[in-house]
Amino acid sequence: MANASLATGSTAPSGTRTLRRGVLIGAPLLGYAVGMLHPTHLAPGESPWLYIGIHLLFPALIGLLGWAGDRWSRAQARAVADASAAQAARTHGALLASELQKFRLLPLVLVEYPDVAAALTHDAVARDRLNATLELLADRTDAADIYVIAPDGTTVASSNAREPTSFIGQNYGFRPYFRDAMERGSAELFALGTVSRRPGLYLARRVDRDRRALGVVVVKVEFDAIENAWARSTGASFAADANGVILVTSRPEWRFRSTVGLRSEEHTSELQS
């Protein structure tokens, strides 16, 4: 997700529309040529082909200018669409980067919070305080969930501790973000929640004290607000991972699809974020 590619797209003109323009321009010229062959239009002894050549020159020139003008106008419209897409990509990319930067700070701060280490060393009072702190922090930052996991994978504190779907006591030792954070110190993973089944980005960081791993702090981020903001703009916007899998998008039906699978008439302007 750190190297996500953001892109916006719009629909290009179809070949049927181009054929229709050719018919609309060519049919009147053909009708005019046939009309010129009628005897009432010819002077005695005048060659019909010379007459047709002279009288077709002007309308042919008009038709050529019309065709050139149509090509130019379509090229200009495409250029405007591309410029608009590029600007949307920059704006949407900045919004996404700002949100990610804000949420990535949370695990960094929380691993140093005294009640986190205390809760992971079986301090019941510290756990109660930490539950209240995490609930308040999630509410203030719009994080979907914030929770603390012991080395065996069991959740010991959570922002949703007072809800029926509380994570307290749940074991997340099988989740890749937990295993990777315990092994490497930090991890990020975009996945569906095992309880909520809602997609989101999991930011995990190991809690260390005296060179000993006490557990992991996890912040889950959901992107509903960003996707709704993107949806109000013209075109389609999405963020994809390094493998081209769409994770965040203004079109929900695109989520978890590959950017390679997008329709060929969708043109995009990309921005690294």
Side-chain angles (χ1 to χ4, degrees), residues 238 243-246 254 257-266:
F238 59 86
N243 297 316
V245 177
I246 297 172
W254 284 9
R257 284 178 54 187
S258 171
T259 54
V260 178
L262 292 180
R263 294 175 299 172
S264 59
E265 66 265 24
E266 294 290 337

Side-chain angles (χ1 to χ4, degrees), residues 34 43 168 177 181 224 257:
V34 173
I168 301 295
Y177 61 79
D224 296 33
R257 284 178 54 187

Side-chain angles (χ1 to χ4, degrees), residues 201-263:
L201 178 66
Y202 292 83
L203 308 171
R205 195 161 193 90
R206 190 176 63 211
V207 181
D208 294 323
R209 292 294 187 276
D210 300 323
R211 298 183 180 181
R212 185 165 63 97
L214 299 183
V216 171
V217 170
V218 181
V219 176
K220 182 186 179 184
V221 185
E222 295 178 358
F223 298 96
D224 296 33
I226 288 179
E227 290 178 332
N228 290 336
W230 289 358
R232 290 192 291 271
S233 301
T234 303
S237 300
F238 59 86
D241 66 10
N243 297 316
V245 177
I246 297 172
L247 305 178
V248 184
T249 173
S250 59
R251 296 187 180 180
E253 68 273 16
W254 284 9
R255 186 173 289 110
F256 299 127
R257 284 178 54 187
S258 171
T259 54
V260 178
L262 292 180
R263 294 175 299 172

Side-chain angles (χ1 to χ4, degrees), residues 58-121:
F58 182 71
L61 180 61
I62 295 298
L64 180 62
L65 290 175
W67 174 82
D70 177 70
R71 291 292 300 271
W72 179 85
S73 64
R74 282 192 289 149
Q76 288 296 107
R78 183 62 177 262
V80 170
D82 287 345
S84 177
Q87 179 58 44
R90 287 190 290 270
T91 302
H92 295 169
L95 176 61
L96 179 60
S98 176
E99 286 292 291
L100 290 177
Q101 183 178 18
K102 176 184 73 175
F103 285 113
R104 282 173 176 146
L105 288 174
L106 282 178
L108 287 171
V109 174
L110 284 171
V111 295
E112 302 299 331
Y113 189 59
D115 279 349
V116 171
L120 287 167
T121 53

Side-chain angles (χ1 to χ4, degrees), residues 129-236:
R129 286 198 307 264
L130 184 57
N131 285 331
T133 299
L134 296 181
E135 181 180 358
L136 179 63
L137 193 57
D139 182 65
R140 295 284 178 84
T141 62
D142 291 325
D145 300 296
I146 308 175
Y147 47 109
V148 179
I149 306 175
D152 65 354
T154 302
T155 304
V156 300
S158 175
S159 59
N160 65 358
R162 298 193 298 166
E163 299 176 10
T165 55
S166 171
F167 296 165
I168 301 295
Q170 297 289 329
N171 192 291
Y172 294 109
F174 65 95
R175 297 304 299 261
Y177 61 79
F178 171 76
R179 297 198 307 266
D180 291 346
M182 285 294 290
E183 180 181 346
R184 300 197 300 260
S186 64
E188 295 186 6
L189 175 70
F190 195 97
L192 293 175
T194 55
V195 175
S196 68
R197 306 307 298 169
R198 290 178 56 81
L201 178 66
Y202 292 83
L203 308 171
R205 195 161 193 90
R206 190 176 63 211
V207 181
D208 294 323
R209 292 294 187 276
D210 300 323
R211 298 183 180 181
R212 185 165 63 97
L214 299 183
V216 171
V217 170
V218 181
V219 176
K220 182 186 179 184
V221 185
E222 295 178 358
F223 298 96
D224 296 33
I226 288 179
E227 290 178 332
N228 290 336
W230 289 358
R232 290 192 291 271
S233 301
T234 303

